[in-house]
Amino acid sequence: MTTQNAINWPEKYLPGTGDNFVSNEVIVKGVTAARVWPFLTDTATWESYYDNVADISFPGGGGPALHDGADFSFGTFGFPPLDAHVVEFQEPADGVPGRLSWTARQDGTPAERLDVLHAWLVEDLPGGRVRILTQETQLGEPAAALAEERPNPMLNGHQAWLDGLIRAARR
């Protein structure tokens, strides 16, 4: 039996304790974690395969590649650019899953304030398969409003990101 890895969650963002949580996963054959990883961590590629992201910048310099401790900003889901900070970064290796997570925030009034943790896990599975899991916990009134929308824009948006990521890795 193969055990699949899980996201590492800081207590503040533990799934089911915030205002919105989504989980999306794909398992596909013919692609490796090493092939997927550059498309996930190089923000210069994001807009080529995912249309729900814009205005990516690195206000303190650096980029476009993410790394542990990187600060960047990006717009998504109609929000103005969110201030993001990479809190976990582990490249995939033999028997070790790739892990990437960032916090993203929007300040303002309570009706505008948003605080999220978006996490990714990319791992090779037996039989030439790769598993990509992305999960996000959101805190704040905008998150609670998103959670009530049907169809769920976060669930659908993250699935589009996964699907685009796989297409880009297969090119």
Side-chain angles (χ1 to χ4, degrees), residues 4-5 25-27 121-123 125 129-133:
Q4 294 179 350
N5 289 283
E25 177 181 46
V26 294
I27 299 175
L121 189 139
V122 182
E123 68 180 325
L125 298 176
R129 299 171 300 145
V130 70
R131 172 182 178 236
I132 308 171
L133 172 66

Side-chain angles (χ1 to χ4, degrees), residues 135-147:
Q135 297 180 325
E136 183 169 322
T137 292
Q138 301 178 331
L139 311 170
E141 289 181 26
L146 274 176

